[in-house]
Amino acid sequence: MIDTNRISDFYSKTVLEHMTAPRNWGVTQDCDGFGRAAGSCGDTMEIALKIKDDSILACTFESEGCGATIACGSIVTQMATGRRVAEARRIDQKAILEYCGGLPDKNGHCALLAAEALQRAIDDHYQMQRAPWKKLYRTAR
Ligand code: FES
């Protein structure tokens, strides 16, 4: 169990909410866009998108990263859900940091990891539109 009394000195209320109760957890490669990214620290994040008529109906994630990474994954899925794909493409590290009220310097790369996983899922979506047969060659989890 996370002791929010101590870490609240370092993390915003929004970050703590997502850290302790992450939204949209769980990915499947049976989706319309799948992205996996690795951070500079070696932690990874996966994001899966369900897309219809160019709108993101669902955005889910999984990560084995730190608490800040879990919060950023949860936040980026919430930011992307309901948006047009082209709008979601503009969600970057800075947008995540603004949304969550900032992170300690040592965790800035956690927001970058979440943004990169989302961008790779969107790239995958565009690639699947151009060459749907490539979905067959996604690596199994
Ligand atoms: Fe590496 Fe958060 S992603 S410490």
Side-chain angles (χ1 to χ4, degrees):
M1 175 120 174
I2 296 172
D3 179 359
T4 55
N5 290 324
R6 282 191 11 225
I7 61 176
S8 63
D9 294 342
F10 306 102
Y11 298 108
S12 70
K13 187 168 173 271
T14 301
V15 170
L16 289 173
E17 280 174 10
H18 284 269
M19 194 184 278
T20 55
R23 282 68 152 177
N24 305 312
W25 181 268
V27 298
T28 169
Q29 292 194 18
D30 181 22
C31 59
D32 304 308
F34 177 83
R36 179 185 292 130
S40 55
C41 61
D43 291 339
T44 63
M45 184 178 295
E46 295 178 341
I47 285 188
L49 303 172
K50 282 285 185 191
I51 297 171
K52 186 162 189 221
D53 297 332
D54 209 36
S55 288
I56 297 175
L57 301 182
C59 178
T60 58
F61 85 105
E62 285 183 21
S63 174
E64 89 293 10
C66 67
T69 301
I70 300 299
C72 289
S74 175
I75 286 166
V76 83
T77 62
Q78 204 162 57
M79 291 174 78
T81 302
R83 289 202 193 195
R84 309 284 292 173
V85 177
E87 287 174 347
R89 201 136 195 28
R90 292 195 287 272
I91 298 172
D92 58 8
Q93 178 189 29
K94 184 169 175 269
I96 295 169
L97 290 171
E98 282 173 8
Y99 183 98
C100 75
L103 286 168
D105 287 346
K106 70 180 176 71
N107 292 121
H109 72 281
C110 309
L112 181 62
L113 175 59
E116 286 182 351
L118 176 63
Q119 299 311 319
R120 288 186 184 181
I122 292 171
D123 288 346
D124 183 59
H125 169 65
Y126 286 139
Q127 187 173 47
M128 291 306 120
Q129 283 186 318
R130 288 191 301 271
W133 55 271
K134 286 189 177 177
K135 196 170 182 175
L136 296 171
Y137 299 103
R138 281 183 179 150
T139 52
R141 290 184 47 123

